[in-house]
Amino acid sequence: MLRFYEGDFAAGSVNIHYYRTNRVKPPCILLHGAFDNGLCWTRTSALLARDYDVILPDAQGHGRSDRLDDRFTSESHADQVAALIYGLDLKKPAIIGHSMGAATAVNLAVKYPQLPAAIVLEDPPWMDPPPPGEKPATGPQVDFRSFLTGLRQMTLEQIIARSRELDPAWSEEERLPWAQAKQQCDPSLFARPFISLRSYTELVSLIQCPALLLYGDAGIVTPAVAENAARLWCSNAPFRAVLVKNAAHNIRRENFPDFFTAVTSFLNEISTSSR
């Protein structure tokens, strides 16, 4: 069984909690999605730890990190990951992010281009803007806030049972961390902009490091968005978009074998080309 040691670091005035595996291997930081926590990457970490020093931070407002405050902005998570990299003296870490964490990885790559060796984006919140005159859809966000409120009124065992009802195909390894994270998160996250308001069409062209975009056949990123991102790519570094079939937003939880194969193939290729 994979064992982590834990630590805390100060990102300015904010205390961030993290988990880590092995200092002597190349670093790889895993950034969780909204209302998850660092340990939601445990299954992925168990395999990545064979080759990497895996670091799992709890984003501010999640897990055992500080709650959100009035100074929090959509850039804060990226700034805090940069502080983690500097504070732990990590040299060119690979960054893997899911959803909100993928958005953080992009913000980090744009604002701190010297830090990441590569970024892997698991279904980031990349959507084409609505046609002129139409407002962006807000239903899913409101629905999820209600969903989270309902979960936080349940016991841990009830949340796990609810997970089995909603996602029966998930590995049992995923359920306990997912459930615990819902009890630990700050529900006020939805009351503020926690993902960059800049469109992916602007951000993609600013990324300089290698990037892998993973999207499912029923997730947020559509084939059209993935194709457009590839067209907008300006860096000389490689960009790859991979469709993971039989997966929606939680790609690694819904099709772990294909997710992990895509990630490790990409990271191995980047590592080989940099030697």
Side-chain angles (χ1 to χ4, degrees):
M1 181 179 178
L2 181 65
R3 291 189 177 184
F4 298 103
Y5 67 88
E6 302 179 47
D8 295 275
F9 73 96
S13 61
V14 177
N15 185 70
I16 299 295
H17 191 77
Y18 68 92
Y19 305 85
R20 191 174 184 180
T21 57
N22 192 325
R23 293 174 182 264
V24 301
K25 297 179 180 179
C28 182
I29 302 174
L30 308 186
L31 305 177
H32 62 78
F35 303 116
D36 279 357
N37 62 20
L39 292 179
C40 286
W41 287 104
T42 298
R43 185 185 186 193
T44 304
S45 300
L47 297 182
L48 284 177
R50 298 170 183 173
D51 300 306
Y52 295 93
D53 173 16
V54 183
I55 301 101
L56 315 174
D58 290 337
Q60 184 183 4
H62 301 75
R64 294 171 62 187
S65 291
D66 280 352
R67 304 296 85 181
L68 304 174
D69 57 31
D70 292 340
R71 290 165 292 184
F72 178 84
T73 73
S74 61
E75 301 291 326
S76 295
H77 285 155
D79 292 338
Q80 291 156 6
V81 174
L84 171 70
I85 293 171
Y86 286 125
L88 298 184
D89 195 26
L90 304 177
K91 305 302 183 184
K92 285 289 186 179
I95 312 288
I96 304 175
H98 170 234
S99 191
M100 180 191 76
T104 299
V106 171
N107 288 342
L108 178 80
V110 170
K111 190 171 183 179
Y112 303 93
Q114 74 280 11
L115 293 184
I119 58 174
V120 175
L121 311 175
E122 180 190 356
D123 203 33
W126 286 1
M127 295 166 280
D128 280 325
E134 290 188 17
K135 294 182 179 180
T138 58
Q141 178 167 306
V142 174
D143 290 343
F144 191 78
R145 186 189 303 182
S146 300
F147 172 69
L148 177 68
T149 299
L151 290 180
R152 288 171 60 82
Q153 296 172 352
M154 299 179 183
T155 66
L156 184 64
E157 292 73 19
Q158 289 172 329
I159 299 174
I160 292 172
R162 183 65 174 143
S163 169
R164 293 191 182 105
E165 294 174 3
L166 294 170
D167 300 288
W170 283 16
S171 167
E172 286 298 305
E173 294 175 74
E174 300 283 0
R175 302 196 190 282
L176 179 60
W178 183 88
Q180 290 174 326
K182 303 304 170 287
Q183 293 183 323
Q184 295 175 334
C185 68
D186 186 340
S188 73
L189 187 68
F190 270 129
R192 63 195 76 214
F194 62 94
I195 293 175
S196 176
L197 299 178
R198 301 165 75 183
S199 169
Y200 83 92
T201 57
E202 175 190 356
L203 294 169
V204 166
S205 64
L206 300 176
I207 300 170
Q208 297 301 310
C209 66
L212 171 64
L213 171 63
L214 298 175
Y215 64 105
D217 43 20
I220 292 176
V221 175
T222 64
V225 166
E227 292 170 7
N228 195 36
R231 285 193 296 268
L232 294 168
W233 186 255
C234 295
S235 173
N236 291 326
F239 173 85
R240 184 180 304 162
V242 175
L243 170 62
V244 180
K245 295 188 176 180
N246 302 314
H249 184 53
N250 291 278
I251 296 174
R252 72 184 185 279
R253 288 162 168 152
E254 293 148 353
N255 187 345
F256 185 80
D258 287 355
F259 165 85
F260 194 77
T261 296
V263 169
T264 52
S265 296
F266 178 75
L267 293 181
N268 289 340
E269 178 183 318
I270 296 303
S271 176
T272 300
S273 65
S274 64
R275 291 173 186 169

